[in-house]
Amino acid sequence: MDQDNCVLGSCDCTACAPKDGCVHSDAICLNRGLHAKELWGRFGLMLELTGTEYATVISGGEAAHALIREKIELGEFALDGESYFPATETSQPCKWPVKEDILLEF
């Protein structure tokens, strides 16, 4: 990328962003703590459940949803298995684009 097409460090890269997806300003602003963007991913995880909790999860519905959310919010899980950030092209200013899948194994 020709750096003359963007204003590095100014958080204003509108001249080259539409042309070739420049992320200079986003990365610089993020590193300076000025703003953050969303990055969507799927994570393999392991939950340790009692018999009652297991019955709740396999029954599905709102109770299962609430139990799983509670376990995650309390940190009662371990990353375990395939996880990834899928390739996504986006022009939404609140989301990070991903050029190709980022695969992780925990």
Side-chain angles (χ1 to χ4, degrees):
M1 175 184 307
D2 182 359
Q3 291 184 355
D4 294 334
N5 290 336
C6 67
V7 184
L8 292 173
S10 72
C11 296
D12 179 15
C13 212
T14 55
C16 69
K19 184 173 79 176
D20 61 5
C22 175
V23 294
H24 290 140
S25 63
D26 292 330
I28 290 167
C29 288
L30 182 64
N31 289 339
R32 291 182 181 162
L34 299 176
H35 70 274
K37 294 184 176 193
E38 296 174 350
L39 180 62
W40 188 87
R42 288 189 185 263
F43 290 86
L45 58 88
M46 183 69 66
L47 298 174
E48 191 167 308
L49 303 172
T50 65
T52 302
E53 291 170 332
Y54 173 72
T56 299
V57 170
I58 63 170
S59 70
E62 184 56 38
H65 180 89
L67 175 64
I68 292 169
R69 180 175 293 280
E70 179 182 21
K71 292 278 190 182
I72 291 171
E73 288 174 353
L74 293 172
E76 296 178 3
F77 70 94
L79 291 175
D80 183 23
E82 283 186 15
S83 302
Y84 72 101
F85 296 97
T88 54
E89 293 297 323
T90 182
S91 60
Q92 296 178 12
C94 64
K95 297 185 185 256
W96 289 108
V98 179
K99 293 188 184 219
E100 50 186 66
D101 289 354
I102 300 168
L103 304 173
L104 305 166
E105 182 71 35
F106 293 98

